[in-house]
Amino acid sequence: MSVLQRVFGSLNGPQTLGRGPVFWGAFVLAVAALALSPLVLSRFQIINFSNFLVFGLLALSLCLIWGYAGILSLGQAAFLGIGGYAFGIVALNFIAADGNTNLAVLAGVLVPTLAAVAIGAVMFYARLKGVYVAILMLVTARLFEIFLLQTADPSYRIGAAALGGFNGLRPASPMDPLLPNLILGFGTHVMEFDGRSLEFFYLVLAIVVLVYLGLRWLLNSTFGYILVAIREDTDRTETFGYDVRLIQVMVFALAAAIAGLGGVLYAAWGTYIHPNSFGVANNILPVIWVGVAGRKDLTAALVGALVLQWLSLLLAARGEYALIVMGAILVAGMLLAPEGVVTGLADRLRRRRTSPTQGQAPEAEAA
């Protein structure tokens, strides 16, 4: 067994695109290019790319439940918002005593996970599926947004944190209107990550890479095969003895944890979190990114999220017709490649690479 097979063997499989040296070489080059991008990009561009990577986590979480488990959620950003609010509330209340945001990060991941368990148990054990799950999640996100928009009164506070209404989460004391930065470590051995710093960019890049690799390992394991079986035929999978409802709740909670981690990083990136995080746009855009690029593959979903966010930023600088142009691009992509642009291109390249061998096979057999 080669070194490449030993290192990447558990990350390869039929559930994800790219399994050979060419793919992994391109992957390493892409990560290296992102790591070296601060040498050529401005500080403003790096700050934006940090945000793109944060929302890349949201795209990966949606790809996990929609592309692999067949659960379309139009409210996935709700878990990002819950994670951001949980991080901010705990950080504001404990930063002075702890000197770090370790507990806040844990809360930002754990709270949306528990929320997903509660919501998922209601949905899946009631045997809701398809459009009903999508609509219920969109309504849930909208309810969070409506409630938080009405919390401008100073009485809406949790300890040292004021919910702030449309102004967003903030300290109850007006002395410092911002949330704390991300501070990790213990005692005197801590590191602070300003959301506008290179250190934060590299931290987010490392987290996205680790989450991506971890999901590849999971989806190419037995659990990944079960998820795909549930996506293709829920009733038949259940006849084989699998507790489909429990598995759906588990993967729904895992996706919420990833989105919650994105919420933590988003709140630390801008040192704010507001009700718009639960809005319709934040919930629909990830569906577009993942759907256009290819919902059935992690690589496609991540590439789609990064490229389309970057393209949206470029178009926004061109003027008022940016949204129309962006909409036309997205509609064209979905019409021309219903299974996804990235996955469609990958399939075409694979067929071109294997077709000469297939064409020579009969001659070889005849010889």
Side-chain angles (χ1 to χ4, degrees):
M1 181 179 291
S2 67
V3 175
L4 185 65
Q5 289 174 323
R6 287 197 300 269
V7 174
F8 295 108
S10 60
L11 305 177
N12 293 328
Q15 310 294 8
T16 50
L17 292 177
R19 294 183 286 274
V22 174
F23 170 80
W24 287 111
F27 173 79
V28 172
L29 287 176
V31 174
L34 285 172
L36 295 175
S37 61
L39 298 177
V40 295
L41 298 180
S42 67
R43 183 168 180 265
F44 173 77
Q45 291 172 320
I46 290 299
I47 292 173
N48 279 299
F49 266 86
S50 296
N51 192 35
F52 295 167
L53 289 168
V54 167
F55 279 94
L57 289 174
L58 183 61
L60 288 175
S61 73
L62 181 62
C63 178
L64 173 63
I65 57 173
W66 182 26
Y68 288 92
I71 304 168
L72 173 57
S73 172
L74 295 180
Q76 193 65 12
F79 298 118
L80 181 144
I82 293 172
Y85 268 87
F87 167 80
I89 290 170
V90 174
L92 289 172
N93 280 282
F94 290 93
I95 186 69
D98 295 346
N100 59 62
T101 58
N102 298 342
L103 186 60
V105 172
L106 179 62
V109 175
L110 186 60
V111 172
T113 302
L114 295 177
V117 170
I119 297 170
V122 172
M123 291 193 305
F124 301 126
Y125 282 98
R127 296 187 178 271
L128 295 182
K129 57 184 177 181
V131 67
Y132 299 103
V133 171
I135 293 174
L136 179 59
M137 285 305 304
L138 184 60
V139 170
T140 300
R142 181 62 178 152
L143 288 175
F144 274 109
E145 182 184 22
I146 292 172
F147 167 74
L148 289 169
L149 284 172
Q150 300 175 1
T151 59
D153 190 278
S155 62
Y156 289 99
R157 55 183 293 176
I158 302 175
L163 296 183
F166 187 80
N167 292 321
L169 185 68
R170 58 187 54 239
S173 169
M175 297 300 294
D176 184 4
L178 300 178
L179 301 182
N181 288 324
L182 192 66
I183 303 174
L184 303 177
F186 297 94
T188 58
H189 303 285
V190 296
M191 177 173 285
E192 183 171 357
F193 296 90
D194 187 315
R196 296 160 295 279
S197 67
L198 283 180
E199 291 80 8
F200 185 83
F201 170 77
Y202 287 123
L203 174 67
V204 177
L205 176 60
I207 290 173
V208 170
V209 170
L210 289 175
V211 170
Y212 168 79
L213 295 177
L215 287 177
R216 279 189 69 104
W217 170 81
L218 179 68
L219 292 170
N220 286 304
S221 68
T222 302
F223 186 76
Y225 284 90
I226 297 173
L227 289 183
V228 173
I230 292 173
R231 180 192 71 197
E232 297 299 326
D233 195 329
T234 302
D235 295 332
R236 187 174 183 182
T237 305
E238 200 166 23
T239 63
F240 283 101
Y242 293 105
D243 190 338
V244 169
R245 313 304 159 193
L246 177 61
I247 295 170
Q248 287 176 320
V249 172
M250 290 171 59
V251 71
F252 195 64
L254 176 59
I258 296 171
L261 177 59
V264 169
L265 296 173
Y266 178 73
W269 170 76
T271 58
Y272 68 87
I273 187 79
H274 50 75
N276 287 348
S277 304
F278 298 88
V280 174
N282 274 358
N283 283 294
I284 297 301
L285 282 175
V287 175
I288 296 174
W289 302 333
V290 174
V292 169
R295 65 184 176 87
K296 294 183 179 180
D297 183 72
L298 293 171
T299 307
L302 184 57
V303 169
L306 298 180
V307 170
L308 290 177
Q309 287 183 90
W310 171 73
L311 182 60
S312 179
L313 182 65
L314 288 182
L315 290 173
R318 299 293 179 180
E320 59 186 4
Y321 298 105
L323 289 177
I324 298 176
V325 175
M326 189 66 177
I329 292 172
L330 298 177
V331 171
M334 297 187 76
L335 288 176
L336 297 175
E339 292 298 315
V341 174
V342 176
T343 51
L345 289 174
D347 288 339
R348 181 173 297 182
L349 289 173
R350 184 168 58 245
R351 286 196 298 269
R352 289 184 61 182
R353 191 166 58 247
T354 58
S355 57
T357 304
Q358 293 173 350
Q360 295 172 3
E363 298 179 8
E365 291 175 357

